[in-house]
């Protein structure tokens, strides 16, 4: 009698990531409303910075979770590594391009928008992506 039984590999479902983007957008809208009350150009700077962070997080989630559930751990690690580099490239290039092209934007508020929106996504990612055990 064998103690080891055949195991049927089941595909693991990808986690739901739309909740992270929704939380980031809600925080971005609240910060935009707050900064627009001081000056409209500050609100525009906040929106642009926050959208850059949301685009970077979206790219990371799509690329990093592409290999999610793969039996080869190396493919998951490589996908996450490449996704992280791509996300930071989007965030850095996007924010620098926005500050250089639109000189009237407040660089401090734009980078604060990037930082706060990105931090909200990074902190809430493990909480909002949880799956209920089946």
């Amino acid at each position: 009698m064998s103690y080891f039984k055949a195991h049927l590999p089941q595909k693991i479902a990808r986690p739901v990531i739309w909740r992270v983007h929704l939380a980031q957008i809600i925080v971005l809208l609240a910060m935009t409303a707050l900064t627009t009350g001081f000056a409209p150009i500050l609100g525009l700077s906040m929106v642009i910075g926050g959208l850059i962070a949301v685009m970077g997080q979206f790219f990371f989630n799509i690329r990093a979770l592409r290999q999610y559930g793969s039996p080869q751990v190396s493919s998951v690690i490589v996908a996450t590594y490449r996704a992280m580099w791509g996300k930071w490239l989007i965030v850095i290039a996007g924010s620098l391009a926005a500050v250089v092209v639109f000189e009237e934007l407040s660089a401090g508020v734009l980078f604060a928008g990037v930082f706060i929106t990105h931090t909200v996504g990074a902190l809430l990612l493990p909480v909002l992506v949880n799956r209920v055990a089946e």
Side-chain angles (χ1 to χ4, degrees):
M1 173 155 76
S2 173
Y3 290 104
F4 301 104
K5 296 182 181 179
H7 176 66
L8 292 174
Q10 293 179 338
K11 186 171 177 133
I12 300 174
R14 287 185 184 170
V16 180
I17 57 173
W18 64 268
R19 289 178 258 178
V20 176
H21 302 296
L22 181 65
Q24 283 182 318
I25 291 172
I26 289 172
V27 168
L28 175 61
L29 290 175
M31 291 185 314
T32 301
L34 181 69
T35 54
T36 304
F38 292 111
I41 197 68
L42 296 179
L44 182 62
S45 300
M46 184 65 70
V47 165
I48 291 174
L51 288 178
I52 290 169
V54 170
M55 286 187 317
Q57 185 69 40
F58 182 76
F59 178 82
F60 175 79
N61 291 343
I62 295 298
R63 295 290 297 204
L65 297 177
R66 180 175 285 177
Q67 299 294 328
Y68 187 83
S70 174
Q72 294 184 346
V73 176
S74 62
S75 62
V76 175
I77 292 172
V78 168
T80 304
Y81 177 77
R82 289 181 181 168
M84 185 62 73
W85 275 103
K87 174 176 87 168
W88 285 112
L89 182 66
I90 289 171
V91 169
I92 292 169
S95 58
L96 287 178
V99 170
V100 170
V101 171
F102 303 111
E103 295 174 0
E104 63 273 1
L105 291 179
S106 171
V109 174
L110 186 132
F111 289 124
V114 169
F115 178 76
I116 294 169
T117 307
H118 179 266
T119 303
V120 165
L123 291 176
L124 293 180
L125 185 66
V127 175
L128 295 177
V129 174
N130 273 346
R131 291 188 328 262
V132 177
E134 298 173 2

